[in-house]
Amino acid sequence: MPKAQETVLEINLKALEHNFDYLKSKLKPETKFIAVVKAYAYGSDSCEIALYLEKLGVDYFAVAYIEEGVALRQGGVTTPILVLHPQIVNFDILVENRLEPSLYNEKILKEFIEALSKEHITNYPVHIKFNTGLNRLGFWHTDVKMIDNLLAETKTIKVKSILSHLAASEDLNEKIFTLNQIEDFKNIAENFTKQVGYKPLHHICNTSGILNYPEAHFDMVRSGIGLYGFGNSEKENQFFKPIGTLKTVISQIHTIIEGESIGYNRGYIATENLRSATLPIGHADGIGRQYGHGKGFVTINGKRAPIMGNVCMDMIMVNVTDIDCDEGDEVIVFGEHPNAETLAETANTISYELITHISQRVMRVIIK
Ligand SMILES: *Cc1c(COP(=O)(O)O)cnc(C)c1O
């Protein structure tokens, strides 16, 4: 790789393939795979990622919102796309783009049936979501009869799958809770199949569900963070490769004299003479203010350089007193080592938040 000369997010498609293969190795050959590519494929690049996964033979994509699905269609993605959190106001766009909604309450189910009836559309694929304990979105188990009654009166929709979502699949202290969710889902699914008279696909696992609950893979699984290289535990992280490496460069080096301050609001006061490096990356690029004041760090020529004082919108200043480095040198913010999870932990957050926050002004460089 040539050295970075500006702030870039390198995206390694070989690492993506490795993660996909690793996750697939945990599944039975017939288990279908939904690649979750919401939020720009977790801050990377949703079209590049989806088109590559399509070539690798992924069965489905999932996004959160309709517009994210539209972007995939415009990028040439032809694989089915599940929209996890569609909004009623955009149903026409959803149908025009052959996106498949996850329907989670009576209101949205009725509205969707009505929208399709107006267009005389039949057998449109939908997914019915049940709440089994996350208490975020989903029908209750007691709604099965009501759903069946609505389905019996219409030919507009065909239920392609039923799904639920685990609340704590990565937390093995919550194993009993999770096993209960899985058991409830099984019962709901059986009841649903009995009522409607055909068997839709069943799915409940996200990445940590795939890794920790093989008995719950059912017909299909949904993975996001694993594809991007994180296993949500130190043990599992070893088997994944982060696909994204965030790099920047040193714009300027300053010699700071004891007693001088650095940055806005004099956020750092030098207690000794030191060397600071200014980098072209700030909170508008996704490195939030919570990484300031020595919590977050970058890596320069193999050594850690902590962030000094406040994170600015477009810049940070890091301490390079003990690092042999020059203006123009490459800087690693996160990548394989240290990874985004390590950096996220310094600010009490998780890899998901850090990687999805890398803003659109950071250039993406795809490595094939
Ligand atoms: C985001 C999301 C996923 C993916 O979860 P990961 O932990 O990233 O694998 C799966 N299912 C639903 C409903 C989601 O919202």
Side-chain angles (χ1 to χ4, degrees):
M1 252 295 89
K3 295 270 181 201
Q5 294 178 300
E6 60 180 323
T7 303
V8 292
L9 180 63
E10 288 178 1
I11 296 157
N12 183 340
L13 296 180
K14 281 286 162 247
L16 176 67
E17 183 167 0
H18 166 89
N19 299 328
F20 181 59
D21 288 345
Y22 177 67
L23 289 159
K24 293 270 280 186
S25 77
K26 300 283 167 187
L27 307 176
K28 294 199 196 81
E30 66 271 23
T31 307
K32 292 184 192 298
F33 197 104
I34 302 181
V36 181
V37 293
K38 61 193 180 192
Y40 298 102
Y42 289 41
S44 56
D45 182 318
S46 45
C47 281
E48 289 279 355
I49 297 290
L51 290 170
Y52 195 74
L53 288 168
E54 200 165 59
K55 263 195 277 177
L56 296 178
V58 81
D59 299 286
Y60 246 98
F61 291 109
V63 292
Y65 301 117
I66 291 169
E67 290 302 335
E68 296 179 315
V70 172
L72 293 180
R73 288 284 182 247
Q74 285 171 350
V77 171
T78 55
T79 301
I81 300 171
L82 163 61
V83 182
L84 294 165
H85 199 174
Q87 303 295 318
I88 292 164
V89 62
N90 297 321
F91 275 163
D92 51 341
I93 304 172
L94 176 133
V95 172
E96 265 167 39
N97 287 275
R98 292 168 293 111
L99 307 174
E100 302 176 11
S102 165
L103 303 174
Y104 50 83
N105 65 9
E106 188 173 354
K107 177 176 169 63
I108 194 168
L109 175 59
K110 283 182 168 165
E111 296 261 9
F112 195 58
I113 290 172
E114 196 184 315
L116 294 173
S117 306
K118 278 193 195 138
E119 303 290 326
H120 309 288
I121 294 168
T122 55
N123 282 318
Y124 197 92
V126 303
H127 305 261
I128 302 286
K129 182 161 201 179
F130 285 95
N131 175 20
T132 53
L134 181 60
N135 291 332
R136 192 173 71 173
L137 283 182
F139 287 102
W140 284 92
H141 66 97
T142 46
D143 292 331
V144 172
K145 186 78 198 129
M146 174 269 291
I147 300 168
D148 180 48
N149 289 341
L150 285 171
L151 291 179
E153 288 167 7
T154 180
K155 294 206 164 7
T156 52
I157 58 178
K158 175 90 180 174
V159 180
K160 207 154 154 191
S161 85
I162 50 183
L163 65 148
S164 188
H165 194 35
L166 297 172
S169 57
E170 73 277 32
D171 184 355
L172 295 176
N173 294 320
E174 293 293 356
K175 196 158 182 178
I176 293 171
F177 180 88
T178 304
L179 290 173
N180 257 320
Q181 274 197 279
I182 294 166
E183 195 54 34
D184 285 351
F185 179 62
K186 239 192 246 175
N187 291 330
I188 294 166
E190 266 170 37
N191 187 19
F192 188 92
T193 301
K194 230 185 280 159
Q195 293 274 350
V196 301
Y198 59 89
K199 183 183 174 292
L201 298 168
H202 299 172
H203 50 116
I204 193 170
C205 281
N206 62 347
T207 299
S208 289
I210 295 171
L211 300 173
N212 296 330
Y213 297 94
E215 68 274 32
H217 291 173
F218 300 111
D219 302 309
M220 194 146 78
V221 295
R222 307 185 297 269
S223 177
I225 199 77
L227 287 172
Y228 309 111
F230 300 91
N232 293 336
S233 75
E234 229 168 90
K235 178 178 149 266
E236 282 296 344
N237 279 344
Q238 325 169 52
F239 301 112
F240 290 93
K241 289 189 181 156
I243 71 159
T245 301
L246 182 61
K247 294 178 171 179
T248 185
V249 292
I250 298 178
S251 296
Q252 191 173 12
I253 291 181
H254 289 289
T255 300
I256 308 289
I257 308 297
E258 181 185 341
E260 287 184 343
S261 62
I262 297 172
Y264 283 130
N265 303 103
R266 309 193 68 203
Y268 186 92
I269 306 283
T271 54
E272 57 190 349
N273 296 349
L274 58 83
R275 249 166 42 109
S276 77
T278 302
L279 315 179
I281 185 167
H283 61 75
D285 301 289
I287 305 302
R289 283 171 58 89
Q290 65 272 29
Y291 291 94
H293 298 284
K295 291 203 179 109
F297 63 91
V298 298
T299 303
I300 301 173
N301 296 329
K303 285 190 161 172
R304 280 188 181 202
I307 299 172
M308 296 187 287
N310 288 307
V311 171
C312 315
M313 188 183 292
D314 314 306
M315 281 168 260
I316 51 176
M317 279 72 88
V318 298
N319 192 336
V320 293
T321 309
D322 299 323
I323 302 176
D324 184 13
C325 60
D326 274 318
E327 292 170 350
D329 280 5
E330 182 177 88
V331 175
I332 305 293
V333 183
F334 61 71
E336 197 149 356
H337 193 75
N339 69 22
E341 194 164 289
T342 307
L343 181 57
E345 277 168 6
T346 65
N348 273 324
T349 182
I350 56 176
S351 59
Y352 295 75
E353 185 181 50
L354 178 56
I355 65 177
T356 58
H357 273 199
I358 304 311
S359 73
Q360 291 297 302
R361 82 172 177 186
V362 174
M363 197 178 41
R364 270 64 174 168
V365 176
I366 308 293
I367 301 166
K368 305 224 155 139

